[in-house]
Amino acid sequence: MHAERFTAKVTPCGPISLYRDARGPCHLWTGATSETGYGRYWHQGRAVRAHRYAYEQANGPIPDGLDVDHICRRRACVNPAHLRAVTHRENVLASSNHVARRARVTHCPAGHAYDAANTYRAPNGTRKCRACKREGARAKRAVEREQQLAPVAPIRTRTPDTLERAA
């Protein structure tokens, strides 16, 4: 009964995914969706995400601590071949959001590697390049040193014209 109700809300001939690992067409959820685009399915007295239900029906329970990732990157897809259980970190890094894009960056804009020796975490969690910070601090100190030096006015020599005006 549940399987029939579920499959009645699925279009199995959806678009073909452009991602290599997602074989076959997406099975698009046509039932209710959340505001974020995930399918919602009423099962045993509560709303569950349709893709999680589809994964569990095909593969068994989702292991603790894992998320269900859409290989095809379509939130409305419930094709079990397009779903996999991964850690939350893997799921976030597989996406195309700003967090994933920044995590894939391996060098700072100046070309220094983000490695253990050259990287530190700022209080807000972002990565910072130690080499760039060091160069910036040196340049700032040089400017401050220049500003601390007293300005030197050129020495004016007295010419006969200036001596006559002074008298």
Side-chain angles (χ1 to χ4, degrees):
M1 176 180 146
H2 288 293
E4 293 168 4
R5 223 175 90 239
F6 185 84
T7 55
K9 299 172 193 259
V10 176
T11 302
C13 53
I16 300 290
S17 175
L18 299 177
Y19 291 87
R20 291 181 184 161
D21 295 338
R23 293 196 168 85
C26 287
H27 297 180
L28 297 180
W29 180 254
T30 59
T33 58
S34 68
E35 56 279 350
T36 55
Y38 291 100
R40 304 290 285 173
Y41 179 64
W42 195 259
H43 179 65
Q44 295 181 345
R46 66 185 186 98
V48 295
R49 292 204 169 175
H51 69 286
R52 292 177 65 87
Y53 179 83
Y55 180 88
E56 288 180 336
Q57 295 307 302
N59 303 304
I62 301 165
D64 287 340
L66 297 183
D67 293 348
V68 177
D69 178 37
H70 292 88
I71 298 170
C72 60
R73 313 310 316 154
R74 280 194 182 89
R75 293 178 176 181
C77 180
V78 294
N79 182 347
H82 293 191
L83 304 173
R84 63 184 179 149
V86 296
T87 65
H88 182 69
R89 178 174 172 75
E90 286 176 290
N91 194 9
V92 169
L93 294 179
S95 73
S96 59
N97 67 23
H98 68 283
V99 175
R101 282 193 306 272
R102 286 187 182 151
R104 285 191 286 270
V105 172
T106 59
H107 290 74
C108 77
H112 305 118
Y114 281 132
D115 57 17
N118 188 45
T119 307
Y120 75 94
R121 292 279 176 183
N124 66 357
T126 58
R127 293 181 296 178
K128 301 291 181 183
C129 174
R130 290 183 194 275
C132 287
K133 184 166 176 68
R134 194 170 36 251
E135 290 169 14
R138 282 184 184 143
K140 183 179 176 186
R141 282 193 305 271
V143 167
E144 288 171 353
R145 249 189 322 275
E146 284 293 320
Q147 290 173 348
Q148 287 177 353
L149 295 175
V152 179
I155 299 174
R156 294 187 338 196
T157 57
R158 294 195 158 210
T159 60
D161 289 340
T162 56
L163 289 173
E164 288 176 14
R165 275 185 268 151

